[in-house]
Amino acid sequence: MHDDRQLIEERLQRALRERIRPAIYGAAVPLDIKVWHAPGEPVPPSEALAASYEPAEIGLAWGPAWGTAWFHFSGQVPAEWAGAEIEAVIDLGFSGGPGFSAEGLVHTTKGVPLKGLHPRQTYAPLSILGPDGTAAAAGDSIEFYVEAAANPEVLGYNAFAPISSDMGSKPEPGGKPIYQLTRADLAVFNAEVWDLILDLEALNGLQKELPKQEPRSREILRALSRALDVLDYEDVPGTATDARAELTDVLSRPAHASAHQLSAVGHAHIDSAWLWPLRETRRKVARTISNVATLAEEYPELVFAFSQAQQHAWVKDNYPEVWERLKKAVAEGTIVPVGGMWVESDTNLPGGEALARQFVHGKRFFLDEYGIDTQEVWLPDSFGYTAALPQLVKLSGSKWFLTQKISWNQKNKFPHHTFLWEGLDGTQVFTHFPPIDTYNSDLSGRELAHAQRNFAENGSATRSLVPFGYGDGGGGPTREFVATARRVANLESSPRVTIESPTEFFSAAQEEYPNAPVWSGELYLEIHRATYTSQAKTKQGNRRSEHLLREAELWSAAAVVAGKLDVYPYEELDRIWKAVLLNQFHDILPGSSIAWVHREAEATYAKLAAELEAIIGKAQQALAGTGDAQIVFNGAPHAREGIAGLGAGITVGEGPAATIEDGVLDNGVIRVTIDERGLITSLYDVAARREVIAPGSTANLLQLHVDTPNQWDAWDVDSFYKNNVRDITEVDSVEFSTVDGVATVVVKRSFNRSSVNQTLRLRPGAKRVDIETSMDWHESEKFLKASFPVDVHADRSASETQFGHIFRPTHQNTSWDAAKFEIAAHRWLHVGEPGYGVAVVNDSTYGHDVNRTAREDGGTTTTIRTSLIRAPRFPDPQTDQGVHVVNHALVVGAGIPEAIEEGYRINLPERVVTGAEGTDPIVALDNGNVIVEAVKLADDQSGDVVVRLYESSGGRARTTLTTGFAAGSVTEVDLLERHLTDRELTGNAVSFELRPFQILTLRFTRA
């Protein structure tokens, strides 16, 4: 037989485009249109419905960017349409994909939300267009409203190019309309034509994935040709049934016995902010959940996974009618809460306690509102996954983990799709990466075939999960997707597809694959590495908030327990924590959202800082009492200047004053030489009799790179950035001074359109150089780093992560090593050789790179570079323009314990309060490797004291914890403060042993 495959495929595509799809709707009558243009930010339906509406018509220009128009539609259903399927068809001028263009929400005349509208879902069925959302019939009058959101196409045809301020910033009044209303009709829906389209597309998608010579492929092709032969283009609705009959045989053949099994879960990945502000996400959630609830009425088999407790809370707080539908759908199992976190957060950047609180607040919401203890952690789109997660997953009471993002790796294909992920403490969690390589599947033949071929566990396991539905900007599954799932449920040459819940998938997958392979350590994402640096003020606000929250809880608990404060600020802290957790969403904290989002985050952090400072100040003053003494509060877990960790008192001196002579700073412990360029040319450790700076090198060298990634500007730094570097050695001035025993050097530099002022300080008794860097930054597509080359032979670096640290190679032996050319560290990064090490600590930066080079003298130079600031153009063309102040310290002669201590020091500076007395620590430990991360009162407001601690060195630790209050009993609890194990209390002390990096949460009753 001659090969006419291309001829048939091209014939089919044109027939679908020009003949069949236009026939989905038949007879139509226009709706009457009125409009009210909201003057500013969105308003509640009650206000919108009470506004004055003006007559309008098709072609109306509406909606400046981020504006809202309310449309009033009315009409009468023709009586002669009795028995037909009838829908209102509304096209607001849709241009981009769902979630990235205009969107709408249909309301009743009383303002009750009914159903969302987007470019792939432009209809509202007659069954919801009667009075108050009831069914209407032929001959009836209908009337409804649509709240239309003029969301601009930020990621448009010229992707990653700089966007205008009216797209990325909160708009000023009076912008130009960006959309036109293009259709508003009542129309007859030709269901048989619609079914024919789905039949054709399912089969054509399947046959394209099969080997061209395979009989099944040719059989499908012949059936498609026959269907087109019997279809009358002048009467598509009248001949659609005949055309479908030609496809019955090829559609009815069952799947092979060995076919891959796909668990299909409805999904609408809704970024809590990204190319839209938080306020728009609230509306996206309402539109999506309205869609899902309406769709489930027609397709009862639908199961929809809905993550992010914050988004559930938005529905509860803002859309009471949608909330009732949501609760009903959850009770019926149609909508399934998943994830167990407050938002789908970034996991590289949040601190340990913050990441724990993501689970605390997320899981507790689902328990309180639905009575559901979620078991799967659902993070399809975060930018890499910390090795601390498996232990936190287990301690939250969850047992499964899902992501898809690792399929984005640039260099190395991850070897598993189903496996046991082992965290840094040894905890393992059953993990799945959907091999379909998307969390927004359309269940097309191409995607289904890819999932089956791609599944790394073929031969050992048979199951994978596919999240289907429009996402990122929301939207969710459509009737087309669910109907497609029915067609491919049991289809020859295709995987079997079953719509079911994530719990059903994970239970079956774990049962059939009990000996899954193990992956140990972090899940490093080989892309989006610049998210460790972009939007410095957002990251700084998060870091500061985390440590202020630590202090607010610690000192408030201490004051209440001591009887010096009557009320613990439960409600205030709960609200503040949730605000901080929201801004840890994986497109806010990483710095990859539009300007509006980040300016709003900065304002939020400033407001929260003021509130937390007030809470801290009130508690500390209560503890200090009234007097004239200078009481120093130490919120860090280690003693400083004679003040116990977590305690307060009067400090003792640090040691002899530091001096300056001929550019040499000397405190008797270390000597630092600064040259005429303001660079560190020598750092001598007196006790170790060792030069720290590598021969021929200079430290604290600013290096400016050209930074033009291929795409994803705010997200990515590509490895070729290193090929173009400029050492900033020019200096405007270098000034030396000594104030209060602190030797100080102020170095001022200017380059291009920017300036950097650095203040280097050597304090009495310190084995560190403190570096304060103030940047007035006005570059474009540049990347600024600070370099510290040290004379240390290190084949790996240690980076602080949540509740511990991880090691990464400094070499590039393998492609996996080479891919980690930019890495994340929290408060410190350490390099060392046996007997000696150096650390760089920071108060608000995360990105680093560490490399080593061999010298002619046979030695090794290990260079730590900390990433200071970037200047990407998309999605915020003004990213990080302006003034920024960050602090670092170069710590010499440091092991990992010293790195940990200095990391806490720089982030938790002492506080001085005028008062009468200090206070003993609320809890104390006798092993310095065990770190107290949080002290608080129990969330149930019982007054119990909760202490979270962890082993920090990576070794086993025995310790005794002694309370500074009379304790009645102690139990080990999970993150949600639920009982796990009884512990023995001896007096006010409890002894225990921890495995490496183990997290332990203890709950004490008060006697």
Side-chain angles (χ1 to χ4, degrees), residues 784-798:
L784 186 66
K785 286 180 169 266
S787 174
F788 301 92
V790 296
D791 190 7
V792 172
H793 181 82
D795 63 353
R796 63 182 186 174
S797 64

Side-chain angles (χ1 to χ4, degrees), residues 711-934:
Q711 56 182 351
W712 300 110
D713 291 14
W715 295 257
D716 282 359
V717 54
D718 289 330
S719 57
F720 54 75
Y721 89 96
K722 291 187 177 182
N723 299 343
N724 192 320
V725 60
R726 171 186 169 189
D727 291 346
I728 306 298
T729 57
E730 303 90 341
V731 65
D732 298 335
S733 63
V734 181
E735 300 175 357
F736 297 85
S737 64
T738 304
V739 179
D740 296 331
V742 178
T744 303
V745 184
V746 178
V747 182
K748 297 182 178 180
R749 307 183 192 277
S750 55
F751 53 91
N752 298 351
R753 296 180 294 277
S754 302
S755 62
V756 176
N757 296 338
Q758 288 189 300
T759 303
L760 286 71
R761 297 183 177 91
L762 181 61
R763 303 180 188 276
K767 292 192 74 172
R768 67 177 188 273
V769 181
D770 294 324
I771 305 168
E772 178 186 285
T773 302
S774 176
M775 300 168 283
D776 191 2
W777 179 250
H778 298 282
E779 302 302 307
S780 177
E781 298 185 300
K782 298 295 190 295
F783 194 4
L784 186 66
K785 286 180 169 266
S787 174
F788 301 92
V790 296
D791 190 7
V792 172
H793 181 82
D795 63 353
R796 63 182 186 174
S797 64
S799 299
E800 187 190 31
T801 190
Q802 299 91 346
F803 299 106
H805 56 269
I806 60 171
F807 295 103
R808 300 184 180 100
T810 59
H811 55 71
Q812 298 185 2
N813 282 358
T814 71
S815 58
W816 295 86
D817 301 332
K820 297 178 182 177
F821 60 82
E822 182 79 0
I823 56 176
H826 282 211
R827 290 169 289 213
W828 57 268
L829 186 144
H830 178 271
V831 296
E833 62 188 31
Y836 200 83
V838 176
V840 173
V841 300
N842 72 84
D843 74 345
S844 59
T845 59
Y846 295 88
H848 297 78
D849 68 85
V850 184
N851 294 281
R852 63 178 189 167
T853 54
R855 304 192 302 265
E856 290 186 1
D857 65 3
T860 300
T861 298
T862 301
T863 302
I864 305 169
R865 296 201 308 162
T866 183
S867 303
L868 297 175
I869 202 163
R870 298 183 68 236
R873 303 189 307 166
F874 179 87
D876 175 9
Q878 299 301 312
T879 298
D880 284 332
Q881 300 299 294
V883 176
H884 304 265
V885 179
V886 299
N887 289 280
H888 293 83
L890 181 61
V891 186
V892 304
I896 285 177
E898 289 76 23
I900 295 169
E901 182 173 344
E902 291 296 334
Y904 276 102
R905 176 198 62 78
I906 199 171
N907 284 276
L908 288 164
E910 300 95 330
R911 294 174 176 271
V912 180
V913 176
T914 302
E917 60 183 353
T919 184
D920 291 332
I922 188 170
V923 294
L925 295 159
D926 62 1
N927 185 328
N929 288 334
V930 181
I931 303 293
V932 175
E933 186 67 4

